[in-house]
Amino acid sequence: MIIMINGAFGAGKTTAANELLPFVPNSMIFDPEEIGYMLRKLVTVEDRLVHERTDDFQDLEMWRVLTVKTAAELKSTYKKHLIVPMTIYKRHNFDYIYNGFKRIDKNVFHFCLSATADTLNRRLTKRGDEPGGWQFQQVDKCVAALKDPVFENHISTDDLETEDILRIILKKIS
């Protein structure tokens, strides 16, 4: 099983993923951001393809490919369920990764944690992100893009505690 926990920065993905871990036996966290950080160090802006020269490592074609390949290797080597927290709001990236995950494991669940821009900005400030920084700059476009029905299983987190989110996810995956 692969459980994707999607949402804008500040929606509660990482918290939900970490708290979900003990409730999903034989599971592990796989955070594709780590692949992005690695690629950002390895592939200089000058070496990137023209359309990859943005401030978002998800625009690197290799990020999508390595995310799916790493998930496949984790599943085949460790035989564990994957809990995957990530902000993925660009449709072509989502389609590639979701379909890639489906080829790895037919039991893929996608949950999109949503919240208002005000809630997200408040949470980002509370967790110590730099006001006006990169995550804050992504809020409005993430909120708008993640309304697309392709990002099914929306869970509005504005008024929910993490335990409530876990209950919803656990009910849907059981």
Side-chain angles (χ1 to χ4, degrees):
M1 170 172 48
I2 300 175
I3 304 166
M4 298 172 69
I5 303 177
N6 192 1
F9 301 95
K13 301 173 305 297
T14 303
T15 301
N18 288 322
E19 299 224 3
L20 186 61
L21 192 61
F23 293 101
V24 181
N26 194 39
S27 64
M28 65 189 296
I29 302 283
F30 166 45
D31 187 346
E33 278 191 0
E34 298 300 329
I35 294 169
Y37 299 146
M38 176 192 71
L39 288 173
R40 190 181 289 155
K41 289 180 182 178
L42 291 174
V43 184
T44 65
V45 173
E46 297 80 28
D47 291 333
R48 294 179 188 175
L49 301 173
V50 173
H51 66 277
E52 296 178 334
R53 294 180 183 173
T54 71
D55 62 352
D56 188 347
F57 57 68
Q58 289 190 16
D59 290 329
L60 295 167
E61 291 179 30
M62 195 178 296
W63 176 80
R64 287 190 303 275
V65 172
L66 289 178
T67 294
V68 173
K69 286 186 178 192
T70 302
E73 289 300 316
L74 289 169
K75 292 282 291 173
S76 70
T77 302
Y78 300 107
K79 313 289 191 252
K80 291 184 175 267
H81 302 298
L82 300 181
I83 301 172
V84 187
M86 69 174 141
T87 298
I88 183 164
Y89 66 92
K90 294 176 183 172
R91 178 76 184 260
H92 65 281
N93 285 347
F94 176 80
D95 290 342
Y96 184 93
I97 292 170
Y98 182 82
N99 292 327
F101 284 178
K102 286 293 250 188
R103 286 189 299 277
I104 297 165
D105 190 320
K106 61 184 167 200
N107 292 318
V108 176
F109 296 90
H110 173 263
F111 299 95
C112 186
L113 307 185
S114 62
T116 64
D118 287 342
T119 297
L120 295 169
N121 286 319
R122 191 170 49 256
R123 289 178 183 167
L124 291 172
T125 300
K126 185 178 178 182
R127 77 179 191 188
D129 288 11
E130 183 69 33
W134 195 85
Q135 288 87 346
F136 284 91
Q137 295 170 25
Q138 308 312 304
V139 167
D140 290 335
K141 64 181 157 188
C142 284
V143 169
L146 291 171
K147 289 179 182 175
D148 186 322
V150 73
F151 302 108
E152 68 215 24
N153 290 324
H154 288 92
I155 301 171
S156 177
T157 66
D158 289 294
D159 299 316
L160 295 180
E161 298 295 326
T162 304
E163 297 77 31
D164 301 318
I165 296 166
L166 296 183
R167 258 192 305 281
I168 293 166
I169 292 173
L170 288 167
K171 183 177 179 183
K172 291 191 179 208
I173 66 171
S174 61

